[in-house]
Amino acid sequence: MQLSFDSADRLVELVQARRGAVAAEEAARVLFALERAPATLAHSLLSDVVEGDARLAWLGGRVGLSAADARDVLIEEVEVVVFDLETTGLSAARDRICEIGAVRVKCLEIADTFETLVQPGVALPPTIARLTGLREADLRHAPRPELAVRRFLAFAGDAALGAHNARFDVGFLDHAVQRLTGKRVAAPVVDTVWLARRLLHRRSERFSLAQLSHFFGTSTEPCHRALPDALATAEILVALLGLAQERGARTFAEVVELAAPRARRLHARRSLIAGAPTTPGVYLFRDRADTVLYVGKARDLRARLRSYFAGDRQRPAVEAALGALERVEWREAGSELEAALEEARLIRELRPPANARGGRPQSYLRRRAERWIVCAEPTRFGPISSKRRAQLAARALDDFDGVDLSGALPALRARLRRLAHDLRFEDAAKLRDRVAALEEVVARVDELERLRAEELCVLAPAREPGFWRAFVVAGGRVTARTIPRGAAGRLEIEAALALAARAEPSLAPEDTAELLAVAAVLRRPPPELRVVSLEAAAILAA
């Protein structure tokens, strides 16, 4: 049986996340939160952890997984010992094991069984006696816990473990093993509860052992005794392994990943962001094929990336990206504004599936003949983020022939009041939705009109020492130049102003996206930004 301290688990997670051996220096930095770790010190710090865990091995100056790790075995070849414990209560710290049952599953078939009563050393509570059918007399002459646990560990050997609601059973087993050895169980564990939840999504709403036994039609009926419950769990596990293969899983490592609770899956990926800087920048989530799944920006890359692994729920598309995450790439920027503009560019070019603005077509309003319609061609009335909202606003404008959309609202609101007064509630509800959509569109169009009329320069620090980044906003566009400090920057500034003066007003979606990115940052401008007028003297003075 593999036994380990918590630090070994973290080291195994790091090696798995890197998909290969990790340099001792990097492993020591991550494991012990060191800023730097020379090779000799790193080897010394890691020595006890690596040599005390059967899953780990030294590969020269690097730490890797030993060849015997069950996680790398193909599903059809894996050996799993499915076990179940009966206990005197629910607390691993206060209560004791009173029965152990185990089943060896080898190559997807039941190969062997193990069972033993355990002398708990405490009185058997009446509720447990009624639930299990065990009696004090049965346990009085049973093996003591130390002997029973040693026999179970010998039966399990180096096999992976399986259990139903594994957190409960592994908690009791860990507590018993720690009393014996000072360490805890380190074998990979697959939990049939969580595996069923992932694989039977929408096919079953209940995942108790009795419910799953009925769902899969197991030959053994669970009855709150260790061996029968372990046999039922083993049959359920074999069925679930088949479903996992249908989902594309090949190795037992992928099954363990499928069965991991969300918090543990996120925890296991924290090593992907080791070394993230505290500077502004953008980050890209990539999958196994190196496809970009999601792009984001941050004022502090380290803090933002850590937030994804803190357990808070994300919107569904980002949750899916985290589930497929294999690599995190980050690119530093000189300022939060530069990061926001780079994010807008990357989303436009890469169209990541988890970004809400990724590949979604833009909607605009335009007047054609006697009607307002929704179109994809850029006009001054857009872009509107929701096509449904744009359609409702267009219907509200059916009888309006002006160019200031807000001019349609007073008549529409008066009509809505009349409908409500006449008790025509169904018609009033339809008009209410159209008016609400038009109000949102009017606010959006007004904001964009204001932004397209802006003429200003935003100065921000550049990544290169001794330089500034000048973001010139004019004609509905944002242009960026790198400006040397002092008088040497005059030529660059004058060139940027001349280019802005000659530029035609733009309604292009990419320019609008950059305008909105600038506006979002300037709502709460960070202290390093300086906003000045489009005059060379003002920019140089700033």
Side-chain angles (χ1 to χ4, degrees):
M1 171 62 70
Q2 300 169 7
L3 305 175
S4 174
F5 294 109
D6 287 342
S7 52
D9 290 341
R10 295 170 57 204
L11 190 51
V12 169
E13 289 172 356
L14 176 63
V15 175
Q16 289 173 333
R18 294 289 192 271
R19 293 199 167 273
V22 178
E25 297 92 322
E26 180 187 359
R29 285 199 304 272
V30 173
L31 203 62
F32 302 108
L34 302 174
E35 290 188 7
R36 57 186 300 274
T40 304
L41 174 62
H43 196 284
S44 174
L45 290 172
L46 296 170
S47 180
D48 287 343
V49 179
V50 175
E51 292 164 13
D53 194 281
R55 297 169 295 173
L56 298 166
W58 285 109
L59 305 175
R62 303 168 73 82
V63 180
L65 296 179
S66 66
D69 189 8
R71 290 177 176 85
D72 293 329
V73 178
L74 294 174
I75 291 174
E76 59 269 24
E77 298 174 0
V78 74
E79 184 176 345
V80 185
V81 169
V82 179
F83 75 103
D84 182 80
L85 306 179
E86 298 303 328
T87 64
T88 61
L90 302 178
S91 171
R94 296 191 305 270
D95 300 309
R96 297 290 182 264
I97 298 170
C98 56
E99 188 178 26
I100 304 174
V103 179
R104 187 183 306 281
V105 175
K106 193 170 184 178
C107 301
L108 302 182
E109 293 185 356
I110 293 176
D112 198 3
T113 62
F114 169 90
E115 67 175 326
T116 181
L117 295 175
V118 183
Q119 185 185 129
V122 297
L124 189 66
T127 53
I128 301 299
R130 287 194 298 270
L131 181 68
T132 63
L134 291 171
R135 297 176 302 170
E136 288 279 359
D138 298 326
L139 304 177
R140 194 170 297 126
H141 302 293
R144 293 183 59 79
E146 297 82 1
L147 179 59
V149 170
R150 288 189 189 279
R151 287 175 177 173
F152 169 69
L153 296 180
F155 174 80
D158 290 329
L161 296 178
H164 193 78
N165 191 19
R167 183 178 180 181
F168 176 85
D169 296 279
V170 171
F172 272 89
L173 185 60
D174 270 342
H175 201 267
V177 170
Q178 280 180 322
R179 287 201 299 268
L180 285 174
T181 67
K183 298 183 180 182
R184 67 184 189 85
V185 176
V189 179
V190 61
D191 188 335
T192 50
V193 170
W194 285 97
L195 188 57
R197 283 175 174 165
R198 292 294 298 277
L199 296 175
L200 300 180
H201 182 55
R202 294 177 183 164
R203 294 172 62 186
S204 177
E205 296 181 356
R206 300 176 62 190
F207 301 96
S208 68
L209 184 57
Q211 181 72 21
L212 290 177
S213 176
H214 176 74
F215 183 90
F216 287 111
T218 62
S219 60
T220 304
E221 185 177 344
C223 59
H224 296 290
R225 289 297 299 268
L227 184 56
D229 287 6
L231 281 165
T233 304
E235 291 185 56
I236 291 167
L237 177 60
V238 170
L240 291 172
L241 290 176
L243 292 177
Q245 288 178 311
E246 292 176 10
R247 285 273 295 266
R250 294 181 59 256
T251 67
F252 189 67
E254 292 167 323
V255 173
V256 172
E257 175 73 9
L258 275 174
R262 177 182 178 275
R264 198 167 82 210
R265 293 198 304 274
L266 291 177
H267 178 87
R269 288 187 168 92
R270 287 190 307 173
S271 58
L272 296 178
I273 60 171
T278 58
T279 55
V282 295
Y283 51 91
L284 297 84
F285 290 170
R286 295 180 179 270
D287 64 11
R288 184 176 299 181
D290 217 32
T291 302
V292 176
L293 304 172
Y294 181 72
V295 172
K297 64 170 175 63
R299 177 171 177 77
D300 181 331
L301 281 167
R302 181 184 299 173
R304 183 68 185 102
L305 288 171
R306 283 179 174 176
S307 71
Y308 286 104
F309 304 93
D312 293 339
R313 283 278 176 185
Q314 308 290 333
R315 59 185 178 82
V318 178
E319 282 286 331
L322 288 170
L325 183 63
E326 292 291 331
R327 184 166 76 87
V328 179
E329 175 188 349
W330 52 79
R331 304 175 186 178
E332 295 182 70
S335 66
E336 187 177 354
L337 176 56
E338 185 176 0
L341 293 171
E342 179 68 0
E343 178 198 37
R345 182 187 70 80
L346 289 171
I347 291 174
R348 183 173 67 249
E349 293 179 358
L350 301 175
R351 296 191 173 187
N355 283 92
R357 299 166 300 183
R360 185 179 298 173
Q362 302 284 344
S363 297
Y364 299 82
L365 294 180
R366 64 174 297 182
R367 179 85 173 173
R368 186 171 68 183
E370 300 300 319
R371 297 177 60 246
W372 286 86
I373 63 169
V374 178
C375 63
E377 179 185 353
T379 72
R380 58 183 287 257
F381 303 112
I384 301 163
S385 56
S386 166
K387 185 177 181 180
R388 174 64 178 161
R389 285 292 185 193
Q391 290 170 335
L392 288 171
R395 290 174 188 170
L397 292 168
D398 275 347
D399 299 323
F400 182 70
D401 58 2
V403 293
D404 180 3
L405 301 187
S406 62
L409 288 171
L412 289 169
R413 290 167 180 154
R415 183 183 168 198
L416 181 59
R417 287 193 295 271
R418 288 197 303 272
L419 289 172
H421 181 268
D422 295 340
L423 307 182
R424 295 171 58 186
F425 298 123
E426 186 174 344
D427 292 335
K430 291 180 181 178
L431 183 58
R432 177 202 60 204
D433 293 343
R434 295 175 186 180
V435 170
L438 181 58
E439 288 171 339
E440 287 186 24
V441 169
V442 166
R444 176 75 159 184
V445 169
D446 287 349
E447 178 189 23
L448 291 171
E449 288 288 307
R450 178 180 57 77
L451 291 174
R452 288 165 181 154
E454 287 280 11
E455 292 191 349
L456 54 87
C457 178
V458 183
L459 293 171
R463 284 282 299 156
E464 304 86 349
F467 289 83
W468 283 84
R469 290 282 282 169
F471 300 94
V472 176
V473 179
R477 303 173 189 268
V478 181
T479 55
R481 306 285 285 228
T482 301
I483 310 294
R485 294 179 188 270
R490 178 179 290 276
L491 290 177
E492 283 290 342
I493 292 171
E494 290 176 348
L497 295 179
L499 186 64
R502 293 197 304 271
E504 294 291 329
S506 174
L507 296 175
E510 58 270 23
D511 290 325
T512 301
E514 292 187 352
L515 276 179
L516 292 170
V518 171
V521 173
L522 292 185
R523 286 190 191 103
R524 298 180 64 184
E528 69 270 14
L529 296 189
R530 302 180 187 178
V531 183
V532 296
S533 61
L534 279 189
E535 299 174 356
I539 296 171
L540 283 170

PDB file of all heavy atoms in Angstrom, residues 182-205:
ATOM      1  N   GLY A 182       2.338   6.847  10.880  1.00  0.00           N
ATOM      2  CA  GLY A 182       2.646   8.275  10.855  1.00  0.00           C
ATOM      3  C   GLY A 182       2.412   8.882   9.488  1.00  0.00           C
ATOM      4  O   GLY A 182       2.612  10.081   9.305  1.00  0.00           O
ATOM      5  N   LYS A 183       2.021   8.065   8.516  1.00  0.00           N
ATOM      6  CA  LYS A 183       1.738   8.563   7.174  1.00  0.00           C
ATOM      7  C   LYS A 183       0.276   8.294   6.860  1.00  0.00           C
ATOM      8  O   LYS A 183      -0.488   7.842   7.712  1.00  0.00           O
ATOM      9  CB  LYS A 183       2.641   7.885   6.145  1.00  0.00           C
ATOM     10  CG  LYS A 183       4.129   8.160   6.374  1.00  0.00           C
ATOM     11  CD  LYS A 183       4.974   7.535   5.283  1.00  0.00           C
ATOM     12  CE  LYS A 183       6.456   7.820   5.507  1.00  0.00           C
ATOM     13  NZ  LYS A 183       7.291   7.257   4.410  1.00  0.00           N
ATOM     14  N   ARG A 184      -0.127   8.588   5.615  1.00  0.00           N
ATOM     15  CA  ARG A 184      -1.506   8.314   5.233  1.00  0.00           C
ATOM     16  C   ARG A 184      -1.540   7.664   3.859  1.00  0.00           C
ATOM     17  O   ARG A 184      -0.529   7.610   3.163  1.00  0.00           O
ATOM     18  CB  ARG A 184      -2.355   9.585   5.259  1.00  0.00           C
ATOM     19  CG  ARG A 184      -2.005  10.608   4.219  1.00  0.00           C
ATOM     20  CD  ARG A 184      -2.867  11.854   4.429  1.00  0.00           C
ATOM     21  NE  ARG A 184      -2.721  12.799   3.342  1.00  0.00           N
ATOM     22  CZ  ARG A 184      -3.412  12.759   2.209  1.00  0.00           C
ATOM     23  NH1 ARG A 184      -4.271  11.785   1.988  1.00  0.00           N
ATOM     24  NH2 ARG A 184      -3.233  13.672   1.284  1.00  0.00           N
ATOM     25  N   VAL A 185      -2.705   7.184   3.468  1.00  0.00           N
ATOM     26  CA  VAL A 185      -2.847   6.469   2.201  1.00  0.00           C
ATOM     27  C   VAL A 185      -2.551   7.414   1.036  1.00  0.00           C
ATOM     28  O   VAL A 185      -3.073   8.522   0.976  1.00  0.00           O
ATOM     29  CB  VAL A 185      -4.275   5.903   2.068  1.00  0.00           C
ATOM     30  CG1 VAL A 185      -4.474   5.247   0.713  1.00  0.00           C
ATOM     31  CG2 VAL A 185      -4.551   4.922   3.188  1.00  0.00           C
ATOM     32  N   ALA A 186      -1.715   6.955   0.114  1.00  0.00           N
ATOM     33  CA  ALA A 186      -1.368   7.783  -1.038  1.00  0.00           C
ATOM     34  C   ALA A 186      -1.747   7.131  -2.353  1.00  0.00           C
ATOM     35  O   ALA A 186      -1.490   7.683  -3.415  1.00  0.00           O
ATOM     36  CB  ALA A 186       0.136   8.077  -1.035  1.00  0.00           C
ATOM     37  N   ALA A 187      -2.343   5.952  -2.312  1.00  0.00           N
ATOM     38  CA  ALA A 187      -2.770   5.301  -3.550  1.00  0.00           C
ATOM     39  C   ALA A 187      -3.839   6.151  -4.227  1.00  0.00           C
ATOM     40  O   ALA A 187      -4.641   6.802  -3.553  1.00  0.00           O
ATOM     41  CB  ALA A 187      -3.330   3.917  -3.235  1.00  0.00           C
ATOM     42  N   PRO A 188      -3.876   6.176  -5.563  1.00  0.00           N
ATOM     43  CA  PRO A 188      -4.953   6.900  -6.243  1.00  0.00           C
ATOM     44  C   PRO A 188      -6.305   6.295  -5.881  1.00  0.00           C
ATOM     45  O   PRO A 188      -6.443   5.079  -5.765  1.00  0.00           O
ATOM     46  CB  PRO A 188      -4.635   6.712  -7.725  1.00  0.00           C
ATOM     47  CG  PRO A 188      -3.729   5.531  -7.794  1.00  0.00           C
ATOM     48  CD  PRO A 188      -2.962   5.514  -6.508  1.00  0.00           C
ATOM     49  N   VAL A 189      -7.291   7.161  -5.674  1.00  0.00           N
ATOM     50  CA  VAL A 189      -8.619   6.721  -5.238  1.00  0.00           C
ATOM     51  C   VAL A 189      -9.657   7.214  -6.233  1.00  0.00           C
ATOM     52  O   VAL A 189      -9.666   8.391  -6.599  1.00  0.00           O
ATOM     53  CB  VAL A 189      -8.954   7.265  -3.834  1.00  0.00           C
ATOM     54  CG1 VAL A 189     -10.344   6.812  -3.404  1.00  0.00           C
ATOM     55  CG2 VAL A 189      -7.905   6.827  -2.816  1.00  0.00           C
ATOM     56  N   VAL A 190     -10.534   6.308  -6.660  1.00  0.00           N
ATOM     57  CA  VAL A 190     -11.652   6.699  -7.514  1.00  0.00           C
ATOM     58  C   VAL A 190     -12.933   6.567  -6.707  1.00  0.00           C
ATOM     59  O   VAL A 190     -13.168   5.559  -6.038  1.00  0.00           O
ATOM     60  CB  VAL A 190     -11.707   5.853  -8.808  1.00  0.00           C
ATOM     61  CG1 VAL A 190     -11.893   4.375  -8.508  1.00  0.00           C
ATOM     62  CG2 VAL A 190     -12.817   6.356  -9.721  1.00  0.00           C
ATOM     63  N   ASP A 191     -13.727   7.614  -6.728  1.00  0.00           N
ATOM     64  CA  ASP A 191     -14.969   7.668  -5.956  1.00  0.00           C
ATOM     65  C   ASP A 191     -16.137   7.424  -6.905  1.00  0.00           C
ATOM     66  O   ASP A 191     -16.364   8.206  -7.839  1.00  0.00           O
ATOM     67  CB  ASP A 191     -15.096   9.047  -5.297  1.00  0.00           C
ATOM     68  CG  ASP A 191     -16.252   9.132  -4.313  1.00  0.00           C
ATOM     69  OD1 ASP A 191     -17.203   8.352  -4.462  1.00  0.00           O
ATOM     70  OD2 ASP A 191     -16.202   9.982  -3.415  1.00  0.00           O
ATOM     71  N   THR A 192     -16.889   6.348  -6.679  1.00  0.00           N
ATOM     72  CA  THR A 192     -17.977   6.015  -7.592  1.00  0.00           C
ATOM     73  C   THR A 192     -19.128   7.027  -7.519  1.00  0.00           C
ATOM     74  O   THR A 192     -19.894   7.148  -8.471  1.00  0.00           O
ATOM     75  CB  THR A 192     -18.516   4.598  -7.298  1.00  0.00           C
ATOM     76  OG1 THR A 192     -18.780   4.469  -5.901  1.00  0.00           O
ATOM     77  CG2 THR A 192     -17.520   3.539  -7.720  1.00  0.00           C
ATOM     78  N   VAL A 193     -19.259   7.755  -6.413  1.00  0.00           N
ATOM     79  CA  VAL A 193     -20.292   8.790  -6.343  1.00  0.00           C
ATOM     80  C   VAL A 193     -20.005   9.885  -7.367  1.00  0.00           C
ATOM     81  O   VAL A 193     -20.844  10.232  -8.204  1.00  0.00           O
ATOM     82  CB  VAL A 193     -20.383   9.400  -4.926  1.00  0.00           C
ATOM     83  CG1 VAL A 193     -21.281  10.644  -4.942  1.00  0.00           C
ATOM     84  CG2 VAL A 193     -20.940   8.394  -3.947  1.00  0.00           C
ATOM     85  N   TRP A 194     -18.778  10.435  -7.300  1.00  0.00           N
ATOM     86  CA  TRP A 194     -18.437  11.546  -8.199  1.00  0.00           C
ATOM     87  C   TRP A 194     -18.308  11.077  -9.643  1.00  0.00           C
ATOM     88  O   TRP A 194     -18.656  11.812 -10.576  1.00  0.00           O
ATOM     89  CB  TRP A 194     -17.151  12.223  -7.727  1.00  0.00           C
ATOM     90  CG  TRP A 194     -17.385  13.073  -6.519  1.00  0.00           C
ATOM     91  CD1 TRP A 194     -17.173  12.737  -5.218  1.00  0.00           C
ATOM     92  CD2 TRP A 194     -17.933  14.386  -6.499  1.00  0.00           C
ATOM     93  NE1 TRP A 194     -17.533  13.755  -4.390  1.00  0.00           N
ATOM     94  CE2 TRP A 194     -17.999  14.792  -5.145  1.00  0.00           C
ATOM     95  CE3 TRP A 194     -18.351  15.271  -7.484  1.00  0.00           C
ATOM     96  CZ2 TRP A 194     -18.488  16.035  -4.763  1.00  0.00           C
ATOM     97  CZ3 TRP A 194     -18.841  16.518  -7.101  1.00  0.00           C
ATOM     98  CH2 TRP A 194     -18.903  16.880  -5.752  1.00  0.00           C
ATOM     99  N   LEU A 195     -17.813   9.861  -9.828  1.00  0.00           N
ATOM    100  CA  LEU A 195     -17.700   9.347 -11.196  1.00  0.00           C
ATOM    101  C   LEU A 195     -19.092   9.178 -11.810  1.00  0.00           C
ATOM    102  O   LEU A 195     -19.315   9.511 -12.983  1.00  0.00           O
ATOM    103  CB  LEU A 195     -16.952   8.016 -11.188  1.00  0.00           C
ATOM    104  CG  LEU A 195     -16.581   7.431 -12.556  1.00  0.00           C
ATOM    105  CD1 LEU A 195     -15.729   8.406 -13.364  1.00  0.00           C
ATOM    106  CD2 LEU A 195     -15.853   6.100 -12.392  1.00  0.00           C
ATOM    107  N   ALA A 196     -20.035   8.679 -11.021  1.00  0.00           N
ATOM    108  CA  ALA A 196     -21.411   8.533 -11.512  1.00  0.00           C
ATOM    109  C   ALA A 196     -22.027   9.892 -11.815  1.00  0.00           C
ATOM    110  O   ALA A 196     -22.743  10.056 -12.813  1.00  0.00           O
ATOM    111  CB  ALA A 196     -22.251   7.773 -10.488  1.00  0.00           C
ATOM    112  N   ARG A 197     -21.760  10.877 -10.971  1.00  0.00           N
ATOM    113  CA  ARG A 197     -22.312  12.211 -11.219  1.00  0.00           C
ATOM    114  C   ARG A 197     -21.816  12.782 -12.549  1.00  0.00           C
ATOM    115  O   ARG A 197     -22.563  13.448 -13.271  1.00  0.00           O
ATOM    116  CB  ARG A 197     -21.929  13.155 -10.072  1.00  0.00           C
ATOM    117  CG  ARG A 197     -22.762  12.943  -8.819  1.00  0.00           C
ATOM    118  CD  ARG A 197     -22.287  13.811  -7.681  1.00  0.00           C
ATOM    119  NE  ARG A 197     -23.172  13.694  -6.527  1.00  0.00           N
ATOM    120  CZ  ARG A 197     -22.860  14.102  -5.311  1.00  0.00           C
ATOM    121  NH1 ARG A 197     -21.683  14.659  -5.086  1.00  0.00           N
ATOM    122  NH2 ARG A 197     -23.712  13.963  -4.325  1.00  0.00           N
ATOM    123  N   ARG A 198     -20.560  12.536 -12.877  1.00  0.00           N
ATOM    124  CA  ARG A 198     -20.018  13.034 -14.140  1.00  0.00           C
ATOM    125  C   ARG A 198     -20.538  12.257 -15.336  1.00  0.00           C
ATOM    126  O   ARG A 198     -20.828  12.842 -16.396  1.00  0.00           O
ATOM    127  CB  ARG A 198     -18.480  12.961 -14.120  1.00  0.00           C
ATOM    128  CG  ARG A 198     -17.804  13.904 -13.162  1.00  0.00           C
ATOM    129  CD  ARG A 198     -18.000  15.374 -13.544  1.00  0.00           C
ATOM    130  NE  ARG A 198     -17.445  15.698 -14.832  1.00  0.00           N
ATOM    131  CZ  ARG A 198     -16.157  15.992 -15.055  1.00  0.00           C
ATOM    132  NH1 ARG A 198     -15.302  15.958 -14.047  1.00  0.00           N
ATOM    133  NH2 ARG A 198     -15.728  16.303 -16.257  1.00  0.00           N
ATOM    134  N   LEU A 199     -20.647  10.938 -15.192  1.00  0.00           N
ATOM    135  CA  LEU A 199     -20.971  10.098 -16.349  1.00  0.00           C
ATOM    136  C   LEU A 199     -22.461   9.882 -16.543  1.00  0.00           C
ATOM    137  O   LEU A 199     -22.899   9.561 -17.649  1.00  0.00           O
ATOM    138  CB  LEU A 199     -20.276   8.737 -16.214  1.00  0.00           C
ATOM    139  CG  LEU A 199     -18.743   8.783 -16.230  1.00  0.00           C
ATOM    140  CD1 LEU A 199     -18.175   7.393 -15.970  1.00  0.00           C
ATOM    141  CD2 LEU A 199     -18.214   9.327 -17.552  1.00  0.00           C
ATOM    142  N   LEU A 200     -23.250  10.036 -15.484  1.00  0.00           N
ATOM    143  CA  LEU A 200     -24.692   9.801 -15.580  1.00  0.00           C
ATOM    144  C   LEU A 200     -25.469  11.109 -15.512  1.00  0.00           C
ATOM    145  O   LEU A 200     -26.636  11.122 -15.125  1.00  0.00           O
ATOM    146  CB  LEU A 200     -25.168   8.868 -14.461  1.00  0.00           C
ATOM    147  CG  LEU A 200     -24.546   7.481 -14.424  1.00  0.00           C
ATOM    148  CD1 LEU A 200     -25.108   6.679 -13.258  1.00  0.00           C
ATOM    149  CD2 LEU A 200     -24.783   6.738 -15.737  1.00  0.00           C
ATOM    150  N   HIS A 201     -24.829  12.190 -15.875  1.00  0.00           N
ATOM    151  CA  HIS A 201     -25.476  13.501 -15.814  1.00  0.00           C
ATOM    152  C   HIS A 201     -26.796  13.463 -16.581  1.00  0.00           C
ATOM    153  O   HIS A 201     -26.847  13.069 -17.742  1.00  0.00           O
ATOM    154  CB  HIS A 201     -24.549  14.555 -16.416  1.00  0.00           C
ATOM    155  CG  HIS A 201     -25.095  15.943 -16.366  1.00  0.00           C
ATOM    156  ND1 HIS A 201     -25.515  16.522 -15.193  1.00  0.00           N
ATOM    157  CD2 HIS A 201     -25.314  16.857 -17.339  1.00  0.00           C
ATOM    158  CE1 HIS A 201     -25.953  17.740 -15.448  1.00  0.00           C
ATOM    159  NE2 HIS A 201     -25.845  17.965 -16.743  1.00  0.00           N
ATOM    160  N   ARG A 202     -27.876  13.850 -15.909  1.00  0.00           N
ATOM    161  CA  ARG A 202     -29.238  13.897 -16.457  1.00  0.00           C
ATOM    162  C   ARG A 202     -29.873  12.526 -16.656  1.00  0.00           C
ATOM    163  O   ARG A 202     -31.030  12.434 -17.028  1.00  0.00           O
ATOM    164  CB  ARG A 202     -29.267  14.667 -17.793  1.00  0.00           C
ATOM    165  CG  ARG A 202     -28.935  16.148 -17.634  1.00  0.00           C
ATOM    166  CD  ARG A 202     -28.898  16.831 -18.969  1.00  0.00           C
ATOM    167  NE  ARG A 202     -28.519  18.234 -18.839  1.00  0.00           N
ATOM    168  CZ  ARG A 202     -28.119  18.995 -19.851  1.00  0.00           C
ATOM    169  NH1 ARG A 202     -28.050  18.486 -21.063  1.00  0.00           N
ATOM    170  NH2 ARG A 202     -27.801  20.247 -19.657  1.00  0.00           N
ATOM    171  N   ARG A 203     -29.130  11.455 -16.419  1.00  0.00           N
ATOM    172  CA  ARG A 203     -29.728  10.121 -16.517  1.00  0.00           C
ATOM    173  C   ARG A 203     -30.170   9.626 -15.147  1.00  0.00           C
ATOM    174  O   ARG A 203     -30.973   8.704 -15.047  1.00  0.00           O
ATOM    175  CB  ARG A 203     -28.738   9.140 -17.135  1.00  0.00           C
ATOM    176  CG  ARG A 203     -28.412   9.445 -18.596  1.00  0.00           C
ATOM    177  CD  ARG A 203     -27.295   8.580 -19.125  1.00  0.00           C
ATOM    178  NE  ARG A 203     -27.618   7.174 -19.107  1.00  0.00           N
ATOM    179  CZ  ARG A 203     -26.763   6.206 -19.408  1.00  0.00           C
ATOM    180  NH1 ARG A 203     -25.514   6.523 -19.762  1.00  0.00           N
ATOM    181  NH2 ARG A 203     -27.131   4.946 -19.362  1.00  0.00           N
ATOM    182  N   SER A 204     -29.618  10.215 -14.116  1.00  0.00           N
ATOM    183  CA  SER A 204     -30.007   9.857 -12.756  1.00  0.00           C
ATOM    184  C   SER A 204     -29.811  11.068 -11.866  1.00  0.00           C
ATOM    185  O   SER A 204     -28.854  11.820 -12.036  1.00  0.00           O
ATOM    186  CB  SER A 204     -29.158   8.681 -12.246  1.00  0.00           C
ATOM    187  OG  SER A 204     -29.493   8.381 -10.908  1.00  0.00           O
ATOM    188  N   GLU A 205     -30.731  11.271 -10.949  1.00  0.00           N
ATOM    189  CA  GLU A 205     -30.634  12.406 -10.031  1.00  0.00           C
ATOM    190  C   GLU A 205     -30.167  11.992  -8.650  1.00  0.00           C
ATOM    191  O   GLU A 205     -29.853  12.836  -7.823  1.00  0.00           O
ATOM    192  CB  GLU A 205     -31.992  13.109  -9.930  1.00  0.00           C
ATOM    193  CG  GLU A 205     -32.451  13.735 -11.253  1.00  0.00           C
ATOM    194  CD  GLU A 205     -33.777  14.438 -11.117  1.00  0.00           C
ATOM    195  OE1 GLU A 205     -34.365  14.368 -10.009  1.00  0.00           O
ATOM    196  OE2 GLU A 205     -34.227  15.049 -12.101  1.00  0.00           O
TER     197      GLU A 205
END
